[in-house]
Amino acid sequence: MHNAPSPASLDPHLAINGGPKAVTAPPPQNWLHGPQEIGDEEIEAVTKVLRSKNLFRFMRDRSLSSVSQFEDLFAEKTGARYVLAVNSGTSALIAGLVGIGVSQGDEVLVPAYTYIATAAAVLALGAFPVIVEIDASLTMDPDDLEKKITPRTRGIIPVHMRGTPCDMGRICEVAARHGIPILEDCAQANGAEFRGKAVGTFGDAGEFSLQHFKIITAGEGGIVVTNRKEVFDRAAIYHDSAFAFWMEGRQESEAAAQDWRKICFLGENYRQSELHGAVALEQLKKRDRILSRTRAIKRKLWSALETLPGVTMEAVNDRDGDCGISIAFFAETSEAAVALSKTLHAEGLPCGTYFSKQIPNRHIFYHWDYIMEKRTPHLNGFPWNAPERPCSVGYHKEMCPQTLDLLGRVIMMPVTQTMSDEYVDQLCCAIEKVAHA
Ligand SMILES: Cc1ncc(COP(=O)(O)O)c(C=O)c1O
């Protein structure tokens, strides 16, 4: 226990003007979520797999496979009927797009604020990403989404950035009205919910990442979830070029095996190894504990930040379902954001502004250079200039002004589960000190 400091006991002189820094408690040594939790459970699980000398999921009975156990627990936690573990979030996106039937020349709507992999996955299938504005929730703007739909739109990828859920009510309504399937990108939102339901289960499919920076991690890894059997089958077939072979061996009859042989098509190799599955399983068991702490911390810091004059908080679509791993708030202008961020930072707050034309942040469309410049690995320029379905989508750096305005005046602050009570209380006091100054 510690005694919570009171703002009245602090020297009111701002640190940026030479006064004492309000935050003196040590910050967490590590800001990442999953990696901090790696302990004996993960070590023992990996050791068990290594001792078995079998790292391949399909070479063991399903009940003994770590990857399968992970899939089963993930299905239980999300309520998704079908779960497929793969080797990255990007491969989960590509397999998910195959699952929902996206093909060459189709248009797929992606938000202007997401990791570049979301748009790259669309291009990997020869389809075209169409960039949609974000709103003050920093997720896809449902109004702009509707404006960007054309007769060639075949998919929508809402991205639950920074653990905060998109407005899945409105997005699903627009998608249903136009008959367009949804693949939710939940790479950064493992455990988030919208109105009490897990993200990833609103659309036709969902994707998660288990990469090092995510809420839970296996180093690398990804997950596809869906409630639709045909979506799952298509994604699973694409995730393994020999999928029919493994499935045939698991069928009860020769007729059922034949069916698999008939439906399988070309695939790649997105399989998850037993080593990754073992780590992912142990991490998943720890996920809800991580989130209950980050959510509690975010609630506390949010209440303090709301008192800052001239500040508007992010418009979170569901505050209970938000993972609580990051807080965003807006100043009135980008200049005011820089000044406020510097003032808070000087007091010891771990915050900063976000968009700069100079710093190539690949989470902002402005810095998606190879998409803006239409560069792909194909020497003939595919898919941009494919004669039968040429690209009708144009790109330029100022094409989403609403997004650039929001990201230009936002201040962000990370939240991690190992922030001590003392540190969090001091952060709140520091915010109040700045609010009163
Ligand atoms: C929003 C988003 N989508 C997709 C990805 C891709 O995941 P991965 O790095 O596991 O391929 C990431 C991760 O970095 C991400 O943040």
Side-chain angles (χ1 to χ4, degrees):
M1 275 300 283
H2 73 97
N3 293 325
S6 86
S9 66
L10 288 179
D11 184 328
H13 292 104
L14 292 176
I16 198 159
N17 298 329
K21 202 170 159 180
V23 180
T24 52
Q29 289 186 345
N30 187 333
W31 287 90
L32 302 182
H33 303 97
Q36 293 197 69
E37 300 295 327
I38 295 172
D40 291 343
E41 301 80 6
E42 285 82 350
I43 293 167
E44 277 159 26
V46 168
T47 307
K48 197 169 156 204
V49 173
L50 288 172
R51 286 197 201 289
S52 78
K53 299 192 193 293
N54 182 0
L55 313 187
F56 186 62
R57 70 170 299 184
F58 292 127
M59 291 286 277
R60 50 171 30 130
D61 188 84
R62 201 177 185 283
S63 63
L64 299 175
S65 157
S66 307
V67 179
S68 301
Q69 285 166 22
F70 170 74
E71 290 170 344
D72 292 347
L73 184 59
F74 203 72
E76 193 184 309
K77 281 190 175 286
T78 51
R81 202 166 299 149
Y82 304 99
V83 175
L84 176 72
V86 294
N87 57 6
S88 75
T90 304
S91 51
L93 279 169
I94 299 172
L97 287 168
V98 170
I100 63 171
V102 167
S103 305
Q104 188 212 322
D106 292 344
E107 292 175 9
V108 177
L109 303 179
V110 303
Y113 170 48
T114 177
Y115 187 51
I116 192 169
T118 314
V122 173
L123 273 166
L125 288 172
F128 304 117
V130 173
I131 305 177
V132 176
E133 296 273 20
I134 56 163
D135 61 20
S137 68
L138 300 183
T139 61
M140 187 178 259
D141 177 350
D143 291 328
D144 196 50
L145 160 67
E146 186 143 30
K147 286 187 205 143
K148 300 268 166 77
I149 292 173
T150 76
R152 279 172 73 166
T153 309
R154 291 284 181 280
I156 299 171
I157 312 186
V159 185
H160 308 288
M161 282 298 275
R162 310 162 32 254
T164 71
C166 298
D167 183 347
M168 291 314 294
R170 287 203 54 212
I171 292 174
C172 289
E173 184 267 310
V174 172
R177 201 150 23 82
H178 293 267
I180 303 168
I182 295 176
L183 167 64
E184 289 172 72
D185 182 338
C186 318
Q188 300 190 7
N190 201 328
E193 291 179 355
F194 180 73
R195 297 183 190 154
K197 187 171 156 182
V199 297
T201 60
F202 286 85
D204 300 75
E207 163 268 337
F208 294 79
S209 166
L210 295 167
Q211 181 263 348
H212 185 66
F213 298 112
K214 302 302 182 288
I215 292 169
I216 58 167
T217 182
E220 299 286 358
I223 314 160
V224 183
V225 301
T226 179
N227 286 322
R228 291 178 52 198
K229 169 97 170 73
E230 67 277 24
V231 172
F232 177 76
D233 284 349
R234 287 180 60 82
I237 289 167
Y238 197 71
H239 110 292
D240 184 339
S241 54
F243 194 68
F245 181 74
W246 308 115
M247 287 304 105
E248 282 166 30
R250 291 173 175 216
Q251 304 310 307
E252 277 159 16
S253 68
E254 179 50 27
Q258 285 286 352
D259 286 346
W260 271 107
R261 254 167 253 157
K262 277 188 223 131
I263 66 162
C264 277
F265 48 75
L266 172 139
E268 301 209 26
N269 174 9
Y270 299 163
R271 288 187 306 265
Q272 187 171 95
S273 86
E274 283 292 286
L275 289 172
H276 291 84
V279 179
L281 178 60
E282 296 310 317
Q283 288 263 301
L284 182 55
K285 293 176 192 165
K286 299 174 179 180
R287 185 192 75 182
D288 299 342
R289 176 173 50 75
I290 297 174
L291 295 184
S292 67
R293 175 78 185 148
T294 52
R295 283 174 170 145
I297 295 172
K298 178 162 177 174
R299 273 194 287 272
K300 207 163 184 179
L301 290 171
W302 179 291
S303 304
L305 286 163
E306 268 183 324
T307 66
L308 284 170
V311 154
T312 314
M313 300 305 292
E314 56 180 320
V316 177
N317 288 308
D318 182 330
R319 282 177 63 184
D320 293 330
D322 176 7
C323 293
I325 56 169
S326 158
I327 309 179
F329 47 101
F330 304 98
E332 278 158 13
T333 62
S334 57
E335 294 76 20
V338 171
L340 177 59
S341 171
K342 281 187 179 160
T343 304
L344 292 168
H345 199 266
E347 296 297 341
L349 271 101
C351 62
T353 50
Y354 199 72
F355 170 58
S356 146
K357 289 188 176 175
Q358 283 73 42
I359 301 167
N361 180 340
R362 304 287 177 222
H363 295 84
I364 309 172
F365 80 98
Y366 187 94
H367 292 295
W368 296 349
D369 294 345
Y370 62 75
I371 293 176
M372 294 287 131
E373 293 157 24
K374 300 189 172 176
R375 273 179 277 129
T376 71
H378 302 280
L379 297 176
N380 64 2
F382 176 86
W384 302 109
N385 57 0
E388 63 292 3
R389 294 202 84 185
C391 176
S392 52
V393 185
Y395 300 92
H396 60 89
K397 282 183 179 275
E398 307 296 335
M399 64 191 288
C400 291
Q402 181 174 306
T403 298
L404 294 185
D405 170 57
L406 288 163
L407 295 181
R409 46 191 186 85
V410 76
I411 299 172
M412 291 206 202
M413 190 158 92
V415 173
T416 192
Q417 72 272 20
T418 50
M419 292 163 92
S420 68
D421 287 342
E422 183 186 19
Y423 181 64
V424 174
D425 285 338
Q426 287 192 7
L427 292 178
C428 292
C429 268
I431 296 163
E432 285 176 49
K433 175 181 166 185
V434 172
H436 286 119

